[in-house]
Amino acid sequence: MRVLGIESSCDETAAAVVDEHGHVFADEVASQVKLHAPFGGVVPELASRAHMENIAAVVDRALAAVPGGLDAVDAVSVTRGPGLVGALLVGMQFAKAFAWSRGLPLVGVSHLEGHLLAGHLVRPGDGGAPPVFPYVALLVSGGHTALYAVRGPDDIELLGQTRDDAAGEAFDKVAKLLGLGYPGGPVVDRLAATGDTARHDFPRPLPQRDSLEFSFSGLKTAVAQFVRTNGVPTDEASLADVCASFQRVVVETLVRKALAACAQTGFTSLVITGGVAANRGLRTHAATECARAGVTVVVPPFASCTDNAAMIAYAGALRLVRGERHGIDMAPFSRDPGFRRGKVREARESAKKRR
């Protein structure tokens, strides 16, 4: 089964063709980074308009890359949410029209579900081994930071998530405070590689050993107070020290809590996914600490970490194989889906109450 996937939850217009085994036949993305850069972040109205302008051409490019083109597609999968409602509607309406006109099955999936399964995508030239169920997934991006127990594609448990800012959002806001432009995460990562991680003692968020929740607003505020007191560093070495000290706290927090989740679930595999998974500091620290803890870590290729339609097509293909279908009355949702609260989280909360 070859599934056309469509993704338009934020500022990437994407289309891909993938089968139920995760093989990627085509994967096209139209970025809006230059459009939003002057504003320092994504402007929802501009994002929706750009999706409308780009989606037909992006789908055409994806279909042109597949042998058989349009006739090779057996079903359609589309992101239902979470995301910007206007942006989601563009992708969903296109997917509905495409499926209806061709008489194809249609299924809507969660953007987060796609990220959690992105490690199973098989891209041409990719020599990495996919993760094996069960595993803990650390999903870390501009809009989401959370830990999940992934026992199978239809058995996902939310273990903990951020109480405020996502890690990627904190990266971008700190970059804006330092005048580094948008998107700022890659710039912070580049500068951090040459900086002194111990130069500034920024606070560690939610340091409790058994907590699987995150909070990055206080860390962001600490950097803002530093800039207010000292000003933005004028030389690259001092700027690199701020970036390195900030990134160290974020990376250590993410990895520490991910390994705590592995210990609490008993899982020995960790998958790190989402746009921030491309951060070199995170990849390096995770590899070191996971090796020390005896945990296997899988980080998908960059193309599978950032927003893409291949993960949506694959997640949809698995749902279609299970017999799921949606009609043209399918509606988007803008909030995170309600992944179940399983035994791990309930046991942890019960232990807290007993203390």
Side-chain angles (χ1 to χ4, degrees):
M1 175 187 291
R2 292 187 179 183
V3 178
L4 170 66
I6 295 175
E7 154 65 21
S8 66
S9 63
C10 190
D11 63 336
E12 309 281 19
T13 311
V17 178
V18 179
D19 67 15
E20 72 273 25
H21 305 295
H23 293 106
V24 180
F25 299 95
D27 188 15
E28 295 290 332
V29 179
S31 174
Q32 299 180 17
V33 168
K34 291 183 180 179
L35 176 65
H36 301 287
F39 306 97
V42 177
V43 180
E45 175 64 19
L46 294 180
S48 300
R49 290 177 181 273
H51 285 308
M52 293 177 65
E53 294 171 358
N54 295 331
I55 191 164
V58 171
V59 171
D60 283 345
R61 290 202 303 270
L63 294 176
V66 180
L70 187 64
D71 294 331
V73 174
D74 302 306
V76 181
S77 175
V78 62
T79 303
R80 291 185 66 186
L84 305 174
V85 175
L88 289 168
L89 282 171
V90 175
M92 289 190 64
Q93 295 304 100
F94 188 97
K96 289 178 183 181
F98 186 98
W100 179 83
S101 67
R102 301 288 296 176
L104 299 176
L106 171 69
V107 67
V109 302
S110 163
H111 179 79
L112 306 187
E113 180 183 348
H115 274 305
L116 297 176
L117 299 175
H120 297 270
L121 294 173
V122 182
R123 296 179 179 274
D126 177 22
V132 178
F133 297 115
Y135 54 81
V136 167
L138 169 63
L139 198 171
V140 54
S141 67
H144 309 281
T145 299
L147 287 162
Y148 301 88
V150 184
R151 298 179 177 86
D154 59 345
D155 187 358
I156 299 172
E157 174 191 349
L158 174 63
L159 300 174
Q161 60 188 334
T162 183
R163 296 180 178 180
D164 39 61
D165 293 348
E169 180 184 3
F171 268 101
D172 285 341
K173 289 183 177 178
V174 165
K176 188 173 183 178
L177 287 168
L178 297 175
L180 300 178
Y182 173 86
V187 183
V188 172
D189 186 27
R190 177 179 61 80
L191 288 170
T194 62
D196 179 1
T197 60
R199 178 67 179 83
H200 303 287
D201 188 21
F202 294 128
R204 273 69 174 163
L206 297 179
Q208 300 92 329
R209 187 178 296 274
D210 62 344
S211 172
L212 300 184
E213 294 188 321
F214 302 90
S215 172
F216 295 106
S217 63
L219 174 59
K220 179 190 66 181
T221 300
V223 177
Q225 290 176 337
F226 170 86
V227 171
R228 190 179 301 117
T229 302
N230 303 282
V232 176
T234 56
D235 62 284
E236 185 166 314
S238 298
L239 196 60
D241 289 345
V242 176
C243 291
S245 299
F246 162 76
Q247 180 166 289
R248 174 174 62 92
V249 175
V250 176
V251 164
E252 289 181 352
T253 299
L254 292 171
V255 174
R256 174 171 54 81
K257 289 180 179 289
L259 288 176
C262 289
Q264 291 183 26
T265 58
F267 298 169
T268 57
S269 293
L270 170 66
V271 174
I272 304 177
T273 187
V276 180
N279 181 281
R280 291 173 298 174
L282 176 58
R283 287 173 176 251
T284 300
H285 188 66
T288 300
E289 293 304 308
C290 285
R292 186 175 298 164
V295 172
T296 300
V297 61
V298 175
V299 185
F302 180 75
S304 296
C305 290
T306 54
D307 289 354
N308 65 89
M311 66 184 189
I312 301 303
Y314 177 61
L318 297 182
R319 285 182 173 270
L320 289 160
V321 168
R322 297 198 297 267
E324 295 186 34
R325 303 288 188 276
H326 290 122
I328 60 173
D329 59 341
M330 176 176 58
F333 57 85
S334 59
R335 296 185 178 181
D336 293 359
F339 289 115
R340 68 181 182 83
R341 293 163 57 90
K343 295 180 180 179
V344 173
R345 195 173 187 189
E346 290 174 355
R348 188 172 64 249
E349 292 176 352
S350 296
K352 287 182 180 178
K353 291 179 181 178
R354 288 196 297 271
R355 290 198 297 267

